[in-house]
Amino acid sequence: MASSPCGNTNFDSGLEIKTRSVEQTLIPLVSQITTLINHKDKPNKSERTLAAIHRVGQAVSLAVGRFVAVGEAIASENQELKDEMGQACFEARRAGDAIAQLTDAGSPLPSQSEGCGTVFNERTGMVKAARLLLSSVTKVLVLADRIVIKQIITSRNKVLVTLDHLERVSTFQEFVQIFSQFGNEMVEFAHLTGDRQNDLKDEKKKARMAAARAVLEKCTMMLLTASKTCLRHPDCESARINKDAVFQRMRCALEQVIEIVTEARSYGENKILPASIYNGIKDFKSNVECLRENLYTLSPQSMGGQLEALVERTEDFTDSAYTSHEQRQAILGLCQLARQDTQQLVHAWVEAQSVHAKEATEGMEVAILKTCQSLNDLRRELHKVAVCRTTDLLKVHGEHLPLRALKAAGAEGNLEAVAEYSRTLTEQKEQLVETCRLLCHVSGTEPLEITCIHAEETFHVIGPQINQRLIKSKITTIISAAQTLALHPSSKIAKENLEVFCEAWESQLCDMALLLREINDVFEGRREKRSYLSLPRAGKHTANLKTAKAVKLDAEEQSSMAKLGLELRLLSSDVDTEVEKWEEQEHDIVRQSQSLASMAYNMYLFTRGEGLLKTTLDLFHQAEVLSEEGLQLCSSFRTFSTQLVDEEKSVVMTEMEKVVAFCQQLQMGGKTPVQGKTATFQKVDSSIQATRGILTVVLYLLPFCNKLNKKYKSERSSLGSPQDWRERQDASTPVKEEGALHIKNSNGFGVKCLEQHIAGLNILESK
């Protein structure tokens, strides 16, 4: 129990914890109870320690009682969980009372000579009570989590019903009314699933959830314009195909979200990812290196077969028409080298087995090193080819010439030109799909593999070709939109519809560029894509879709916003990279810089129409919060500068004043009301510009201060006395007999957090 009950997320109840909120809520509880149990092993305890133990025991009992009251209220409102929740609450209350009784030394407390061993007389009893408490509290939380899943399913069902009504409308008036309802329901569903995505522990599920939610976010606007176009031109076959494709894509994504949340067998964990070369190399190297420990777990024949299967996967690179001759020859050469090195390893391996060697021989060790090196070289070459291909492709297609030509041909009513540019776009799509597959091979993590697969599917679905594998109906979204415009060149609705579908294509290219950067970060040893959780809670202004879309930017404004947003994304990634270089990850400068990067990332998502910042009001609120965090960071920089010499301090203070100025600009802008499209856009632009300025300065200060921090830390260490070291060691000791259980920490084990977690489920709002 005392070892690591928190490491096992099942406890005694057999319940698997699948969300971070439940796990993080339990960690302090486990820590505090473990401390209580461990104190029994200390034979001599002072009266102060005994008093602290007594107070903590009573505090645990009272806090569990409050927590149980919340659980019982939940049970009364959810009849299907009433019996299970009631039993779990009963057990939690009983365990809390038992802990209070076991830590009760009596009043007044006896002295050591009078038998202070009455505290924890039965260590077995304390362990049993602790296990029961953890098990029952975990069960309450997991049952409450089921209610969250039920909320998501209920929200999805409402969206599906409204979606069906929306698909059957025949008048604009009816469409406007139902779409307004649909918008409200989609906003609710987006918030519920967004919170769930951030809370999931499994990174693969998070990636799948993100992919499905991205489809829903992008398809919502497509659904609006495709439906309007179909209503305006009810006899147009291409308009109907366009609309049907979007509705089917929406239903598919909604179903995927539910399958992930409920862990249905048709999706989730049972969906097998395509075999990637990265994973093949990793597994093969692992088997090779295991030979150092055991020569007889594998057979030499299986090793050769595994390598050939790996080499076969490289055909996605070598068979591609877009791979240059030099790149193809380099890959083939490295594959042949890997074969030769593996053959030498097998030869040395067989020799070692023939003499009944118990461990790898010197010859085997050399062959193992050579084989691993050749595999590393192969992986590096494949990564280079995939990255170069993607970079070149994004440069070529960055100007979106086929899309521009397609829109122009549609506006002119030229069906022949539409067909011609459709073929050009089809070729572009095939290149992009193949490049996504190559990136999947070298992505380096399963979440990124999932993102690559999502990108490939999105190009298939949006792109100009029938794809029976993904959706049974004809998916010709961009082309059908262009054909509709060509048939009705004077239709403003048809023109707007084509614009929306082209924007979705351009957005996917932008996503691909970011995906490329993430893959490079993993390859170069930087940390994987992290979750950004500092999202403001939705306010009343996000209650319906009309408000969220109240200001529509023109093409030039959207282009400008997208460029600024991408700069924020790159800056936030660079800040993350710099803070990772700090040895003291809990330093105030590190934490506050990470928070700034996180909020800037949210603002970047806003520029793409994604994330939880749905309206300009959300963005302005986020900017105000960011400015407050920026000023806190300035305070940390000022404190840090007190240890610096004049010249160094001057540099920090000068740059810090720039951050202060940008933060004040954000705060003043946030208090300035605006009306109208132009003024709103200018305020959005100003907020993002100021945020970019803050990150730019922070990005300069982070490595500068890190260098100084290491310098002065080294000087202090070299000058420290043995007494200083002892004092620092004592100060860092997590548990001290006299003070570890001081009453001020009696609520720190997380019972209050448990209450907040339950209350945060939004199911007691009526109380």
Side-chain angles (χ1 to χ4, degrees), residues 154-169:
T154 301
S155 178
R156 188 282 307 260
N157 291 340
K158 288 195 298 183
V159 170
L160 278 179
V161 170
T162 308
L163 197 64
D164 290 339
H165 292 163
L166 202 60
E167 193 172 19
R168 295 194 299 266
V169 297

mmCIF file with all atom_site columns, all heavy atoms in Angstrom, residues 154-169:
data_model
loop_
_atom_site.group_PDB
_atom_site.id
_atom_site.type_symbol
_atom_site.label_atom_id
_atom_site.label_alt_id
_atom_site.label_comp_id
_atom_site.label_asym_id
_atom_site.label_entity_id
_atom_site.label_seq_id
_atom_site.pdbx_PDB_ins_code
_atom_site.Cartn_x
_atom_site.Cartn_y
_atom_site.Cartn_z
_atom_site.occupancy
_atom_site.B_iso_or_equiv
_atom_site.pdbx_formal_charge
_atom_site.auth_seq_id
_atom_site.auth_comp_id
_atom_site.auth_asym_id
_atom_site.auth_atom_id
_atom_site.pdbx_PDB_model_num
ATOM 1   N N   . THR A 1 154 ? -26.197 12.003 -24.889 1.00 0.00 ? 154 THR A N   1
ATOM 2   C CA  . THR A 1 154 ? -27.467 12.727 -24.987 1.00 0.00 ? 154 THR A CA  1
ATOM 3   C C   . THR A 1 154 ? -27.331 13.934 -25.910 1.00 0.00 ? 154 THR A C   1
ATOM 4   O O   . THR A 1 154 ? -28.209 14.199 -26.739 1.00 0.00 ? 154 THR A O   1
ATOM 5   C CB  . THR A 1 154 ? -27.924 13.188 -23.592 1.00 0.00 ? 154 THR A CB  1
ATOM 6   O OG1 . THR A 1 154 ? -28.068 12.042 -22.742 1.00 0.00 ? 154 THR A OG1 1
ATOM 7   C CG2 . THR A 1 154 ? -29.241 13.931 -23.663 1.00 0.00 ? 154 THR A CG2 1
ATOM 8   N N   . SER A 1 155 ? -26.210 14.653 -25.772 1.00 0.00 ? 155 SER A N   1
ATOM 9   C CA  . SER A 1 155 ? -25.965 15.810 -26.634 1.00 0.00 ? 155 SER A CA  1
ATOM 10  C C   . SER A 1 155 ? -25.852 15.379 -28.091 1.00 0.00 ? 155 SER A C   1
ATOM 11  O O   . SER A 1 155 ? -26.410 16.021 -28.986 1.00 0.00 ? 155 SER A O   1
ATOM 12  C CB  . SER A 1 155 ? -24.691 16.522 -26.186 1.00 0.00 ? 155 SER A CB  1
ATOM 13  O OG  . SER A 1 155 ? -24.402 17.616 -27.025 1.00 0.00 ? 155 SER A OG  1
ATOM 14  N N   . ARG A 1 156 ? -25.140 14.264 -28.337 1.00 0.00 ? 156 ARG A N   1
ATOM 15  C CA  . ARG A 1 156 ? -25.008 13.755 -29.708 1.00 0.00 ? 156 ARG A CA  1
ATOM 16  C C   . ARG A 1 156 ? -26.369 13.394 -30.286 1.00 0.00 ? 156 ARG A C   1
ATOM 17  O O   . ARG A 1 156 ? -26.677 13.678 -31.452 1.00 0.00 ? 156 ARG A O   1
ATOM 18  C CB  . ARG A 1 156 ? -24.085 12.538 -29.712 1.00 0.00 ? 156 ARG A CB  1
ATOM 19  C CG  . ARG A 1 156 ? -23.696 11.990 -31.108 1.00 0.00 ? 156 ARG A CG  1
ATOM 20  C CD  . ARG A 1 156 ? -24.785 11.152 -31.779 1.00 0.00 ? 156 ARG A CD  1
ATOM 21  N NE  . ARG A 1 156 ? -25.285 10.075 -30.938 1.00 0.00 ? 156 ARG A NE  1
ATOM 22  C CZ  . ARG A 1 156 ? -24.913 8.810  -31.032 1.00 0.00 ? 156 ARG A CZ  1
ATOM 23  N NH1 . ARG A 1 156 ? -24.054 8.457  -31.956 1.00 0.00 ? 156 ARG A NH1 1
ATOM 24  N NH2 . ARG A 1 156 ? -25.448 7.898  -30.228 1.00 0.00 ? 156 ARG A NH2 1
ATOM 25  N N   . ASN A 1 157 ? -27.206 12.752 -29.479 1.00 0.00 ? 157 ASN A N   1
ATOM 26  C CA  . ASN A 1 157 ? -28.526 12.347 -29.958 1.00 0.00 ? 157 ASN A CA  1
ATOM 27  C C   . ASN A 1 157 ? -29.376 13.552 -30.353 1.00 0.00 ? 157 ASN A C   1
ATOM 28  O O   . ASN A 1 157 ? -30.102 13.514 -31.351 1.00 0.00 ? 157 ASN A O   1
ATOM 29  C CB  . ASN A 1 157 ? -29.242 11.515 -28.887 1.00 0.00 ? 157 ASN A CB  1
ATOM 30  C CG  . ASN A 1 157 ? -28.585 10.158 -28.680 1.00 0.00 ? 157 ASN A CG  1
ATOM 31  O OD1 . ASN A 1 157 ? -27.850 9.681  -29.540 1.00 0.00 ? 157 ASN A OD1 1
ATOM 32  N ND2 . ASN A 1 157 ? -28.839 9.538  -27.538 1.00 0.00 ? 157 ASN A ND2 1
ATOM 33  N N   . LYS A 1 158 ? -29.284 14.615 -29.563 1.00 0.00 ? 158 LYS A N   1
ATOM 34  C CA  . LYS A 1 158 ? -30.020 15.830 -29.913 1.00 0.00 ? 158 LYS A CA  1
ATOM 35  C C   . LYS A 1 158 ? -29.522 16.404 -31.232 1.00 0.00 ? 158 LYS A C   1
ATOM 36  O O   . LYS A 1 158 ? -30.317 16.838 -32.074 1.00 0.00 ? 158 LYS A O   1
ATOM 37  C CB  . LYS A 1 158 ? -29.868 16.877 -28.798 1.00 0.00 ? 158 LYS A CB  1
ATOM 38  C CG  . LYS A 1 158 ? -30.634 16.548 -27.529 1.00 0.00 ? 158 LYS A CG  1
ATOM 39  C CD  . LYS A 1 158 ? -30.757 17.754 -26.611 1.00 0.00 ? 158 LYS A CD  1
ATOM 40  C CE  . LYS A 1 158 ? -29.414 18.262 -26.134 1.00 0.00 ? 158 LYS A CE  1
ATOM 41  N NZ  . LYS A 1 158 ? -29.540 19.386 -25.187 1.00 0.00 ? 158 LYS A NZ  1
ATOM 42  N N   . VAL A 1 159 ? -28.196 16.398 -31.417 1.00 0.00 ? 159 VAL A N   1
ATOM 43  C CA  . VAL A 1 159 ? -27.618 16.905 -32.660 1.00 0.00 ? 159 VAL A CA  1
ATOM 44  C C   . VAL A 1 159 ? -28.097 16.076 -33.850 1.00 0.00 ? 159 VAL A C   1
ATOM 45  O O   . VAL A 1 159 ? -28.449 16.617 -34.906 1.00 0.00 ? 159 VAL A O   1
ATOM 46  C CB  . VAL A 1 159 ? -26.078 16.906 -32.585 1.00 0.00 ? 159 VAL A CB  1
ATOM 47  C CG1 . VAL A 1 159 ? -25.470 17.186 -33.957 1.00 0.00 ? 159 VAL A CG1 1
ATOM 48  C CG2 . VAL A 1 159 ? -25.592 17.945 -31.591 1.00 0.00 ? 159 VAL A CG2 1
ATOM 49  N N   . LEU A 1 160 ? -28.136 14.743 -33.696 1.00 0.00 ? 160 LEU A N   1
ATOM 50  C CA  . LEU A 1 160 ? -28.560 13.868 -34.793 1.00 0.00 ? 160 LEU A CA  1
ATOM 51  C C   . LEU A 1 160 ? -30.014 14.115 -35.183 1.00 0.00 ? 160 LEU A C   1
ATOM 52  O O   . LEU A 1 160 ? -30.358 14.139 -36.371 1.00 0.00 ? 160 LEU A O   1
ATOM 53  C CB  . LEU A 1 160 ? -28.375 12.404 -34.390 1.00 0.00 ? 160 LEU A CB  1
ATOM 54  C CG  . LEU A 1 160 ? -26.971 11.810 -34.550 1.00 0.00 ? 160 LEU A CG  1
ATOM 55  C CD1 . LEU A 1 160 ? -26.963 10.362 -34.075 1.00 0.00 ? 160 LEU A CD1 1
ATOM 56  C CD2 . LEU A 1 160 ? -26.505 11.893 -35.996 1.00 0.00 ? 160 LEU A CD2 1
ATOM 57  N N   . VAL A 1 161 ? -30.887 14.289 -34.183 1.00 0.00 ? 161 VAL A N   1
ATOM 58  C CA  . VAL A 1 161 ? -32.298 14.544 -34.470 1.00 0.00 ? 161 VAL A CA  1
ATOM 59  C C   . VAL A 1 161 ? -32.453 15.843 -35.246 1.00 0.00 ? 161 VAL A C   1
ATOM 60  O O   . VAL A 1 161 ? -33.169 15.913 -36.262 1.00 0.00 ? 161 VAL A O   1
ATOM 61  C CB  . VAL A 1 161 ? -33.111 14.587 -33.156 1.00 0.00 ? 161 VAL A CB  1
ATOM 62  C CG1 . VAL A 1 161 ? -34.532 15.084 -33.427 1.00 0.00 ? 161 VAL A CG1 1
ATOM 63  C CG2 . VAL A 1 161 ? -33.158 13.206 -32.508 1.00 0.00 ? 161 VAL A CG2 1
ATOM 64  N N   . THR A 1 162 ? -31.774 16.874 -34.769 1.00 0.00 ? 162 THR A N   1
ATOM 65  C CA  . THR A 1 162 ? -31.860 18.163 -35.454 1.00 0.00 ? 162 THR A CA  1
ATOM 66  C C   . THR A 1 162 ? -31.227 18.087 -36.836 1.00 0.00 ? 162 THR A C   1
ATOM 67  O O   . THR A 1 162 ? -31.701 18.730 -37.784 1.00 0.00 ? 162 THR A O   1
ATOM 68  C CB  . THR A 1 162 ? -31.163 19.250 -34.617 1.00 0.00 ? 162 THR A CB  1
ATOM 69  O OG1 . THR A 1 162 ? -31.667 19.219 -33.283 1.00 0.00 ? 162 THR A OG1 1
ATOM 70  C CG2 . THR A 1 162 ? -31.419 20.634 -35.202 1.00 0.00 ? 162 THR A CG2 1
ATOM 71  N N   . LEU A 1 163 ? -30.162 17.307 -36.972 1.00 0.00 ? 163 LEU A N   1
ATOM 72  C CA  . LEU A 1 163 ? -29.516 17.135 -38.263 1.00 0.00 ? 163 LEU A CA  1
ATOM 73  C C   . LEU A 1 163 ? -30.482 16.491 -39.263 1.00 0.00 ? 163 LEU A C   1
ATOM 74  O O   . LEU A 1 163 ? -30.533 16.888 -40.440 1.00 0.00 ? 163 LEU A O   1
ATOM 75  C CB  . LEU A 1 163 ? -28.267 16.274 -38.103 1.00 0.00 ? 163 LEU A CB  1
ATOM 76  C CG  . LEU A 1 163 ? -27.229 16.301 -39.232 1.00 0.00 ? 163 LEU A CG  1
ATOM 77  C CD1 . LEU A 1 163 ? -26.619 17.678 -39.382 1.00 0.00 ? 163 LEU A CD1 1
ATOM 78  C CD2 . LEU A 1 163 ? -26.133 15.274 -38.966 1.00 0.00 ? 163 LEU A CD2 1
ATOM 79  N N   . ASP A 1 164 ? -31.243 15.520 -38.802 1.00 0.00 ? 164 ASP A N   1
ATOM 80  C CA  . ASP A 1 164 ? -32.244 14.888 -39.672 1.00 0.00 ? 164 ASP A CA  1
ATOM 81  C C   . ASP A 1 164 ? -33.295 15.905 -40.118 1.00 0.00 ? 164 ASP A C   1
ATOM 82  O O   . ASP A 1 164 ? -33.696 15.930 -41.292 1.00 0.00 ? 164 ASP A O   1
ATOM 83  C CB  . ASP A 1 164 ? -32.924 13.724 -38.946 1.00 0.00 ? 164 ASP A CB  1
ATOM 84  C CG  . ASP A 1 164 ? -31.995 12.537 -38.751 1.00 0.00 ? 164 ASP A CG  1
ATOM 85  O OD1 . ASP A 1 164 ? -30.996 12.445 -39.491 1.00 0.00 ? 164 ASP A OD1 1
ATOM 86  O OD2 . ASP A 1 164 ? -32.253 11.714 -37.851 1.00 0.00 ? 164 ASP A OD2 1
ATOM 87  N N   . HIS A 1 165 ? -33.767 16.725 -39.173 1.00 0.00 ? 165 HIS A N   1
ATOM 88  C CA  . HIS A 1 165 ? -34.745 17.753 -39.531 1.00 0.00 ? 165 HIS A CA  1
ATOM 89  C C   . HIS A 1 165 ? -34.152 18.741 -40.530 1.00 0.00 ? 165 HIS A C   1
ATOM 90  O O   . HIS A 1 165 ? -34.818 19.155 -41.479 1.00 0.00 ? 165 HIS A O   1
ATOM 91  C CB  . HIS A 1 165 ? -35.205 18.499 -38.273 1.00 0.00 ? 165 HIS A CB  1
ATOM 92  C CG  . HIS A 1 165 ? -36.013 17.657 -37.343 1.00 0.00 ? 165 HIS A CG  1
ATOM 93  N ND1 . HIS A 1 165 ? -36.240 18.004 -36.017 1.00 0.00 ? 165 HIS A ND1 1
ATOM 94  C CD2 . HIS A 1 165 ? -36.639 16.467 -37.519 1.00 0.00 ? 165 HIS A CD2 1
ATOM 95  C CE1 . HIS A 1 165 ? -36.970 17.063 -35.441 1.00 0.00 ? 165 HIS A CE1 1
ATOM 96  N NE2 . HIS A 1 165 ? -37.224 16.115 -36.330 1.00 0.00 ? 165 HIS A NE2 1
ATOM 97  N N   . LEU A 1 166 ? -32.902 19.095 -40.287 1.00 0.00 ? 166 LEU A N   1
ATOM 98  C CA  . LEU A 1 166 ? -32.233 20.067 -41.146 1.00 0.00 ? 166 LEU A CA  1
ATOM 99  C C   . LEU A 1 166 ? -32.095 19.546 -42.573 1.00 0.00 ? 166 LEU A C   1
ATOM 100 O O   . LEU A 1 166 ? -32.200 20.304 -43.539 1.00 0.00 ? 166 LEU A O   1
ATOM 101 C CB  . LEU A 1 166 ? -30.854 20.388 -40.558 1.00 0.00 ? 166 LEU A CB  1
ATOM 102 C CG  . LEU A 1 166 ? -30.172 21.702 -40.958 1.00 0.00 ? 166 LEU A CG  1
ATOM 103 C CD1 . LEU A 1 166 ? -31.031 22.882 -40.561 1.00 0.00 ? 166 LEU A CD1 1
ATOM 104 C CD2 . LEU A 1 166 ? -28.818 21.790 -40.274 1.00 0.00 ? 166 LEU A CD2 1
ATOM 105 N N   . GLU A 1 167 ? -31.870 18.238 -42.689 1.00 0.00 ? 167 GLU A N   1
ATOM 106 C CA  . GLU A 1 167 ? -31.673 17.647 -44.009 1.00 0.00 ? 167 GLU A CA  1
ATOM 107 C C   . GLU A 1 167 ? -32.965 17.640 -44.826 1.00 0.00 ? 167 GLU A C   1
ATOM 108 O O   . GLU A 1 167 ? -32.931 17.644 -46.061 1.00 0.00 ? 167 GLU A O   1
ATOM 109 C CB  . GLU A 1 167 ? -31.143 16.224 -43.857 1.00 0.00 ? 167 GLU A CB  1
ATOM 110 C CG  . GLU A 1 167 ? -30.619 15.614 -45.130 1.00 0.00 ? 167 GLU A CG  1
ATOM 111 C CD  . GLU A 1 167 ? -29.930 14.287 -44.891 1.00 0.00 ? 167 GLU A CD  1
ATOM 112 O OE1 . GLU A 1 167 ? -30.158 13.678 -43.832 1.00 0.00 ? 167 GLU A OE1 1
ATOM 113 O OE2 . GLU A 1 167 ? -29.154 13.866 -45.756 1.00 0.00 ? 167 GLU A OE2 1
ATOM 114 N N   . ARG A 1 168 ? -34.118 17.662 -44.130 1.00 0.00 ? 168 ARG A N   1
ATOM 115 C CA  . ARG A 1 168 ? -35.394 17.534 -44.826 1.00 0.00 ? 168 ARG A CA  1
ATOM 116 C C   . ARG A 1 168 ? -36.114 18.861 -45.035 1.00 0.00 ? 168 ARG A C   1
ATOM 117 O O   . ARG A 1 168 ? -37.218 18.866 -45.582 1.00 0.00 ? 168 ARG A O   1
ATOM 118 C CB  . ARG A 1 168 ? -36.310 16.587 -44.040 1.00 0.00 ? 168 ARG A CB  1
ATOM 119 C CG  . ARG A 1 168 ? -35.800 15.147 -43.983 1.00 0.00 ? 168 ARG A CG  1
ATOM 120 C CD  . ARG A 1 168 ? -36.901 14.200 -43.504 1.00 0.00 ? 168 ARG A CD  1
ATOM 121 N NE  . ARG A 1 168 ? -37.356 14.542 -42.162 1.00 0.00 ? 168 ARG A NE  1
ATOM 122 C CZ  . ARG A 1 168 ? -36.881 13.985 -41.060 1.00 0.00 ? 168 ARG A CZ  1
ATOM 123 N NH1 . ARG A 1 168 ? -35.917 13.082 -41.128 1.00 0.00 ? 168 ARG A NH1 1
ATOM 124 N NH2 . ARG A 1 168 ? -37.346 14.322 -39.874 1.00 0.00 ? 168 ARG A NH2 1
ATOM 125 N N   . VAL A 1 169 ? -35.551 19.972 -44.594 1.00 0.00 ? 169 VAL A N   1
ATOM 126 C CA  . VAL A 1 169 ? -36.259 21.251 -44.726 1.00 0.00 ? 169 VAL A CA  1
ATOM 127 C C   . VAL A 1 169 ? -36.432 21.605 -46.200 1.00 0.00 ? 169 VAL A C   1
ATOM 128 O O   . VAL A 1 169 ? -35.627 21.215 -47.054 1.00 0.00 ? 169 VAL A O   1
ATOM 129 C CB  . VAL A 1 169 ? -35.517 22.388 -43.999 1.00 0.00 ? 169 VAL A CB  1
ATOM 130 C CG1 . VAL A 1 169 ? -35.443 22.118 -42.519 1.00 0.00 ? 169 VAL A CG1 1
ATOM 131 C CG2 . VAL A 1 169 ? -34.137 22.599 -44.587 1.00 0.00 ? 169 VAL A CG2 1
#
